[in-house]
Structure formats: structure tokens, C-alpha cells
Amino acid sequence: MQKKKIITCITILIFVFVVSFTGLAKAEDYKVGTIWPMTGTAAAFGEAITNACTLVQDYVNEAGGIHGNELKIINRDTGSEPTKGVDAARKLINVNKVPAIVGCYSSGVAMGVSQGVTIPNEAVFVTLGTSPMISVVKDNDYFFRASAHDLYNGRVLGEAMYNDGHKEIGIVYVNNAYGKGIADAAAVTFSKIHDGKVVAKVPFEIGKSSYSSEIRRTYQNGDIDATLIIAYPEDATVMHKEIYANGWDDIPWYGSPDQKVPELIDSLGAEYMEGIVLGSTQGRWPGASKDSFMEGYNKKYGEYPPKPYMAPGFDGLVSVVLAIARSGKAPGEVTGQDVRDNIRAVTSEPGEKIYATVEGFKKAFALLEEGKEINYIGASGNVEYDKYGDAMSAIQTWTIEDGEIITIENIIPDPVPRDLMPPEYQAE
Amino acid sequence: MIAYIAALLCMGSVYAIITLGYNLQWGYTGLFNLSVFGLAAAGGYTSVILTGATAGGRLGGYGLPFIIGLVGAAMVSGLLGGLIGMATLHLEFGFFAISTLGLGMTIQIILKNEQWLSNGVWGIGGIHKPLSGFVGNDLSNWVYGILAFLIMLLIFYLLERVVKSPWGRIQMAIKEDEKLTEMLGKKVFSYRFQSLVLGSMIIGIGGAMFAHYQGYINPMSYTDIMMCFLPLLMVVAGGSGNNKGSIVGAFVIWGAWSVSEMVAGYLPISSAKIPHIRTLVVGIVIISLLRWRPTGIIGREQAVSSTAKNKDIIAS
């Protein structure tokens, strides 16, 4: 009796297993995979970026599809976690047979997916992870990044702090690939490119209920000119309570990308938040692509894109779509190699400038069918993949006035030169 | 698709190894050890440090064979398990659980901050699967999956021998009634210690197998959810105190989790909602399983000496 039940259970499982392979997309669809953190710590971001990718799919299909075939985006969940992320990417490559994957918010997951799945399987992977290490992975040129990485972000923050006349600063950073990357880059900018002094560089672990020892070490008894706080909003809230309690809230502070959220203003109060001098975040590049991204998103979802790093995700997907179109191959025949060999051509000079609108896609597909070149100008920047596979993407600086987040400017800075960074940053 | 089945075989076998180790600790001896993720991470990093070809400023780059990596992983994890045991085994159930959880996190934080040892938050990449150079990428997952499965079967066979011996029956007796076992003249602390160390060694091997499958690890590859509570769930779902149950539990839970994402693609709901619904459904399935089959899918086997004659009479 028991055995029978077990056998029934296993039969059902096998049935489900077989059924799930028959695939949703029609054979004549062009398939592109996306993997975003839909659950887990970065889940709030995942939903917004999935919507942005659906917007690309809508635009392309409204424009008549790639050479008359529809674009089908298959989304999988990374769970904000390398194990699940690798499994998600494996399903896309092995079962859905996508030539390219766009995705991953977190560098740790992106490193796992690229080295575990996409590079050995010769599929293109365009990520948003900002760790400088992504550039130096041995990738046979299959690993791209659409966002500006930490060497850009850190440069902007370090320059700003030095230009404001500070001489001695403290840095407190979240102890992961993202936080350490920005902290190292800002410190090198401040103390090696310029002659400032970083008196303290203190890592912290996320999710603690008190950061008093970290804050005390960073502020050195209040004996510093400014601080750089690289922290997620929840942890930044805890830190600021301790900074205030110690009476150091008159020391100017600078913030990292993820603090540009209204929730932080709500929890700290607008008056307090005005103490921030400047923060950096992923930029948006003025142009038709940006307008189409912002307005299209607002029209479809009833709000303007709410999270940072959505624009580069949008651009990464568009560049993959255009690369598939340029390869001229039929759906199901496009390989990762085709995408890799075409992705630079469609995003850089020479060629007619293309923007991510319905008309833009129509025009791009028509030009590519005629064998002409195109150059995609994105919502986050010019989108030019360099030799490391990193796109030139803008950095935005922001501050807070009267309780509102104010954008100061969008710039494409020079990154911190790698040879000034510690040895682990060097390309082999 | 065939390649995906190989991937399922790899992950299922890796989890089965970890689950077998955990089952020895929890299923047989009743040690609610929550440092499994730390032990698995120690095993994974040890193997990667021993077998990696280049180090680049951190410890490692010895380029030793895969099998040495596994042996090293078992030894380091067993040693750590022993240290954890010395510090915590005299504690009562709940205190033991909490302090082992803390020590597991300590291992993780050490790996995160000691750049010379583990490359810190950057993690270690370029980890090769054994034989992948000879068979190429397409076959390497199959080779690795079959290898992992065979290693898992070997561990299973050895564990079956161990738990069916008098040693194993004492472990079960400790789980059922510690005081009684002590009154029978058995050194309970020593037996629990042995179970913890042996289980930790197997968990270390599992962690190493995981690292070679993933190709890149950082301290967050071994989170408490994926490498401690998920194996615990596999032990319980398969039937704690049953090695076959651990294997079935590992394959069923991992397979259900992985495959359900593709099944969910058929539902007429927006792609932004599917992951949440999937998590919910998997949770409901697990709770129902525990509600209607509290002993797990297979359940516990009767412990009868392998040398006993007329086993049916004794069992009844």
C-alpha cells in the first residue's frame, strides 16, 4: 500500500517533469532569457526590472518583431542567491536553449552564473552586478555588463569629497563585493589620485541591530572632515541613529547608490537627510531612449521607474535583441557566439543612431535587413561595450533639498585606473 | 534538456551527500546541528584551495588532484566539527542548536574577512570539474553527475554498514533516551562526538562537490537557508533516521524546487508573480507532506542487528 503511494507520487513527478519540457514559446519566437531576484533579499528590485524587460518585449513586438518573428522573454528567479541563480540560468540554457541571458542584480550571483553556466556553455550573459572583478573574469568575451561599475562610482564619490575641500575622511561600507568595490575605489581616488587621507575604512555586516562600534571607528571621535556611507537603506537608518546619538550629525556625509530611495527620507526625516552632501547612483542618459523608457513605464505600470539600475537592465536587453537581429539568423539557430560577435557592432560607431522606441526598433530592423550599421543610444548611457565587456553608462549625482531627491547631474566619468587599485583588481 | 537532467543529477547527488551526513547527526543521534552551512563551506573552500591551479595572492594554487581535495575537505570539516563538538556537545538541545548556528556563522564571517585565506568577498572562481578537460563541456556535467552519484552511493553503503552495527544502534538509543543509554554503561558524550565528527566529514565532502559543480564560490554560496535548513528539510521529508530516505528527500525536494519553476510558466499569471506563487506552493506541499506523512516519504526503518537470526520475529 505504502509502496503503491510512493510509486504514484514518483509517476506524477515524472509526468510533471516531462510536461514542463515541452516549452511555452512557439518555435518561431526569438527567445532571450532573463534572471532577476524575484524572491529573497533583493526581491523589491526584481519585480521592477522584470517590468522594464516586458516593456522591451512590448516595443519589439509592436514594431513587428525581429525580422517578423516575435520576441519572447523567459524570466527565471535567482532568489538573490548563487545556488538558485545558477540553477535558473542552467534551465534557460539547457531547456529553453536561449542564446543570451540578461540579468542578476548582485555581483556574487552574476559571478556564479557566468563561471558556472554561461561561459562554459558559450552563451552571452549581460549583467548589472557592479563588482570590478566581473571585468577580469576569463570569459572568452561572453560576459558583459550594462551598468557602470564600482570603479566609476567610487571615482565620482572620491572626486566629489576631495573637491569639496575635505582632507581626512572615514569610510564605512557593507562587507560584500559591491560595498568593498566602491570603498576601495573611493579610497584610491581620494588618497592616491589626490593627496587626501582615508583615516578609517570600516566594513560592516548587513542586518545588525547596532553599529555603534563600526560608527565609532569610522568617525574617530568626530575627528574627520567627512564620511562616506555605503549601506543599504535599512542599515543606513540604524547607523544614522547612532551618528546622531554621538552628536556627529554635523559632519558632512556622502551616500552610495542604494540610499537614493524615498523610504530613507521617511525613516530619517527630511530635515536630517539634508545633511547629505551628495550621493551617486546609476545614471539615466538624456535622449529618446530615456524618454521612451520613463514614459512607457509610466503608461504601462502607473509610476515612473522606481528603482536604481533599471535603465541599464533595459539597455542590456535591447542590445542583445539588436545583436540577434544583426546576426540575421532564424529563431532557434541563433547561438551565443552570434550575439557576442554582433553586440558591439549594434551599440557603437559607425551606424545610424537608434533609440528604444517602437519606431526606433522598426527602423533598426529595417536597416539591419538592408545590411546597414546601427548604433544604439541607451536610456542609461551611450552603451559602448569596452574590451572588458563593460558598457559606458552614466553615473548620476543627487542630493536632498526640502525633503525631495534632487538630481545634480548625469556624467560619464573616467574610472579609477586599475593599476592604482590593490593587486586583486588587476586583469591577468 | 538532457543536459538539464545531468544538472539535476549533480545537484541532487550533492545535496544527498550533505543530507546523508546531516541524517547521521540528526536522524540517528538526534544532534540538532545548525552549523551545517559552515562545515560545508569549510569543505568547499578546502577543496578549492587544494585543487586550484592559481592563487593570485591568497592561500592555494596547489593544483592537487580532485580526490585529494575531497579528502582534505573531509579532514578540515571533521576537525571543525570536532572543535564545535568540544565547545557545544555538553549543552542541552536548544542551546546546542543555537550555539552551533553561531559557530557556523563564525566560519562564514572568517571566510568573508580573511582575504589571504579565501579571497574574502570576491570569492574564488575558475574551479574545474574533474575530467572536464578531457570530455569537453557538454559531457562534463554527465561525468560529474555520475561521479557525484557514485560517491554518494559509496557514502550510503558505508553509512548503512555503520548504522546497522552496534555503534549505530547506540546512536539511535541516545536519540530515544539519553539517560537510559548512559545507565547501560555507554559513554554518551563520546558517541555523540563521534557521530558529529563523522557527519561533519561527509558534509564537508558534500560542500566540496558543490563547489566543483558551481565553478565559483563566495561565502554567500553557503547560506544558512540553502546549506542548512534545506538539507534539514530533505532529511525530515525523506524520513529522518533512514539513509534511503535522505537520498529520496534530497532528490525529490531539489527536483521539485527546480522543475516547479518551469511548470509555473504555464499558469496564466504575470511573470512577476510566478516566483511568489511557486514559493507558496512549494511551501504548502512541504507542510502537507509533514502533516500527512510526519515520518517522511519513506519513514524510519526498524533497527535490527544484521547478525540477528529470524529478523521478522524480533522486528514484530
Side-chain angles (χ1 to χ4, degrees):
Chain A
M1 186 59 202
Q2 234 196 42
K3 257 190 183 160
K4 234 182 185 176
K5 267 190 194 165
I6 294 166
I7 291 168
T8 320
C9 283
I10 291 172
T11 320
I12 292 172
L13 269 179
I14 291 172
F15 177 73
V16 166
F17 187 80
V18 170
V19 165
S20 57
F21 284 128
T22 38
L24 248 189
K26 283 170 277 165
E28 63 270 28
D29 286 346
Y30 281 102
K31 287 178 284 188
V32 176
T34 57
I35 45 173
W36 300 114
M38 308 302 292
T39 55
T41 47
F45 171 82
E47 192 159 327
I49 188 78
T50 310
N51 289 341
C53 290
T54 312
L55 196 62
V56 175
Q57 181 179 296
D58 289 355
Y59 283 163
V60 170
N61 291 340
E62 223 174 292
I66 306 169
H67 307 317
N69 296 297
E70 291 221 327
L71 171 68
K72 168 82 193 162
I73 290 169
I74 304 166
N75 188 40
R76 299 266 180 259
D77 178 18
T78 68
S80 319
E81 229 263 344
T83 316
K84 290 183 204 158
V86 166
D87 183 55
R90 207 164 263 299
K91 282 181 270 190
L92 286 172
I93 301 282
N94 290 340
V95 180
N96 304 106
K97 312 260 181 231
V98 299
I101 296 178
V102 182
C104 278
Y105 184 53
S106 144
S107 306
V109 183
M111 292 286 274
V113 168
S114 62
Q115 299 191 42
V117 186
T118 55
I119 296 170
N121 284 294
E122 299 187 347
V124 164
F125 180 37
V126 185
T127 185
L128 300 185
T130 60
S131 159
M133 299 310 163
I134 285 175
S135 312
V136 294
V137 170
K138 276 190 201 135
D139 62 354
N140 288 329
D141 210 12
Y142 281 107
F143 192 14
F144 293 87
R145 159 166 46 201
S147 59
H149 59 72
D150 290 346
L151 297 184
Y152 291 88
N153 247 315
R155 180 79 187 256
V156 168
L157 288 165
E159 293 282 351
M161 294 173 89
Y162 186 81
N163 292 339
D164 289 348
H166 302 303
K167 289 281 170 280
E168 291 187 338
I169 58 163
I171 300 175
V172 60
Y173 65 94
V174 49
N175 194 13
N176 59 24
Y178 154 79
K180 191 167 162 55
I182 298 189
D184 284 352
V188 164
T189 310
F190 197 74
S191 60
K192 284 200 185 156
I193 298 178
H194 298 296
D195 58 352
K197 196 176 162 207
V198 179
V199 284
K201 205 161 121 238
V202 183
F204 73 88
E205 299 297 326
I206 53 171
K208 293 210 303 195
S209 55
S210 163
Y211 292 108
S212 62
S213 80
E214 285 90 347
I215 289 298
R216 251 180 280 134
R217 276 166 62 204
T218 312
Y219 275 79
Q220 305 273 323
N221 282 323
D223 202 17
I224 48 169
D225 300 331
T227 48
L228 173 57
I229 298 174
I230 302 161
Y232 300 114
E234 305 79 43
D235 301 325
T237 309
V238 178
M239 287 182 180
H240 280 292
K241 280 178 187 148
E242 271 148 22
I243 294 167
Y244 187 77
N246 280 302
W248 295 325
D249 52 314
D250 53 340
I251 294 172
W253 51 280
Y254 294 72
S256 62
D258 20 46
Q259 288 166 53
K260 195 199 158 198
V261 288
E263 289 91 329
L264 193 61
I265 306 177
D266 292 342
S267 65
L268 290 176
E271 204 177 316
Y272 184 89
M273 270 300 277
E274 277 173 36
I276 191 168
V277 182
L278 178 138
S280 76
T281 191
Q282 175 62 50
R284 285 168 187 161
W285 199 240
S289 289
K290 181 198 152 201
D291 297 342
S292 135
F293 168 60
M294 303 286 279
E295 296 306 327
Y297 194 93
N298 186 28
K299 203 173 145 201
K300 187 155 187 203
Y301 301 105
E303 59 173 347
Y304 285 100
K307 301 280 170 194
Y309 293 97
M310 289 172 67
F314 178 89
D315 286 343
L317 184 54
V318 172
S319 54
V320 166
V321 167
L322 292 175
I324 289 175
R326 189 175 185 269
S327 78
K329 289 204 181 167
E333 283 171 19
V334 183
T335 62
Q337 205 178 342
D338 295 324
V339 179
R340 176 191 74 170
D341 294 344
N342 287 304
I343 197 165
R344 283 196 176 80
V346 293
T347 52
S348 52
E349 294 283 340
E352 191 160 337
K353 286 198 170 91
I354 292 295
Y355 299 93
T357 59
V358 175
E359 288 72 43
F361 281 116
K362 267 187 199 157
K363 193 165 121 191
F365 298 145
L367 285 169
L368 287 171
E369 269 170 21
E370 290 166 26
K372 290 194 179 129
E373 294 294 344
I374 57 170
N375 176 18
Y376 174 64
I377 306 294
S380 65
N382 274 337
V383 191
E384 314 264 336
Y385 294 101
D386 66 10
K387 65 170 174 167
Y388 297 115
D390 295 334
M392 294 231 294
S393 175
I395 297 280
Q396 186 179 84
T397 51
W398 54 276
T399 187
I400 293 188
E401 272 173 28
D402 302 327
E404 293 289 321
I405 299 169
I406 308 285
T407 302
I408 300 172
E409 59 176 343
N410 284 292
I411 40 171
I412 296 184
D414 291 326
V416 179
R418 264 174 203 274
D419 49 348
L420 291 180
M421 298 295 290
E424 66 264 25
Y425 289 82
Q426 315 300 338
E428 278 170 26
Chain B
M1 170 179 162
I2 296 290
Y4 175 61
I5 294 171
L8 280 181
L9 184 67
C10 289
M11 278 308 278
S13 304
V14 165
Y15 267 120
I17 294 172
I18 296 173
T19 307
L20 280 170
Y22 203 0
N23 184 38
L24 179 66
Q25 296 177 346
W26 165 243
Y28 285 99
T29 318
L31 297 170
F32 198 46
N33 171 20
L34 294 182
S35 63
V36 173
F37 62 110
L39 297 168
Y45 270 93
T46 306
S47 179
V48 169
I49 287 168
L50 289 175
T51 60
T54 52
R58 63 173 165 80
L59 189 69
Y62 302 113
L64 294 168
F66 176 71
I67 188 76
I68 307 280
L70 288 191
V71 172
M75 284 167 71
V76 170
S77 293
L79 192 70
L80 279 172
L83 288 173
I84 289 173
M86 280 196 268
T88 58
L89 266 179
H90 60 279
L91 297 171
E92 297 228 346
F93 185 82
F95 299 99
F96 175 78
I98 292 295
S99 44
T100 48
L101 180 66
L103 288 168
M105 285 176 173
T106 310
I107 297 173
Q108 204 178 36
I109 287 173
I110 289 171
L111 291 173
K112 213 168 172 184
N113 288 289
E114 296 303 318
Q115 188 108 24
W116 63 272
L117 175 71
S118 61
N119 212 16
V121 295
W122 303 125
I124 302 176
I127 308 165
H128 292 295
K129 292 190 186 83
L131 300 174
S132 62
F134 294 104
V135 295
N137 175 61
D138 291 342
L139 272 177
S140 72
N141 263 358
W142 274 113
V143 171
Y144 195 69
I146 290 164
L147 182 69
F149 195 76
L150 289 177
I151 291 175
M152 190 268 292
L153 283 183
L154 179 68
I155 290 172
F156 168 74
Y157 171 74
L158 295 175
L159 272 179
E160 280 289 288
R161 294 291 299 266
V162 164
V163 298
K164 294 219 162 110
S165 70
W167 187 89
R169 285 194 297 282
I170 292 170
Q171 300 293 0
M172 287 182 246
I174 291 173
K175 187 182 182 186
E176 296 307 325
D177 196 329
E178 202 181 315
K179 285 267 156 27
L180 185 70
T181 321
E182 206 158 10
M183 283 165 73
L184 289 170
K186 308 293 178 193
K187 286 179 185 155
V188 171
F189 184 91
S190 166
Y191 277 101
R192 293 171 80 185
F193 186 79
Q194 290 167 30
S195 166
L196 185 69
V197 171
L198 185 58
S200 301
M201 289 170 78
I202 297 169
I203 292 166
I205 293 174
M209 298 294 293
F210 173 78
H212 287 273
Y213 171 69
Q214 291 272 309
Y216 165 87
I217 53 168
N218 66 19
M220 298 322 287
S221 303
Y222 298 91
T223 54
D224 46 2
I225 301 276
M226 296 304 284
M227 281 289 157
C228 185
F229 296 112
L230 194 63
L232 177 63
L233 176 70
M234 290 163 174
V235 169
V236 175
S240 47
N242 186 333
N243 287 326
K244 281 186 215 111
S246 297
I247 298 171
V248 171
F251 276 95
V252 166
I253 296 279
W254 179 258
W257 174 260
S258 185
V259 173
S260 64
E261 186 163 31
M262 289 182 288
V263 179
Y266 289 100
L267 302 175
I269 34 179
S270 80
S271 60
K273 293 201 178 78
I274 286 172
H276 306 286
I277 291 170
R278 170 172 78 126
T279 317
L280 194 73
V281 170
V282 171
I284 290 171
V285 168
I286 288 164
I287 292 169
S288 332
L289 183 73
L290 296 182
R291 166 65 184 80
W292 281 290
R293 279 198 77 83
T295 51
I297 297 171
I298 289 190
R300 205 166 172 175
E301 281 176 342
Q302 226 134 11
V304 182
S305 168
S306 54
T307 54
K309 287 164 193 152
N310 226 345
K311 284 176 194 177
D312 293 339
I313 295 171
I314 299 171
S316 64

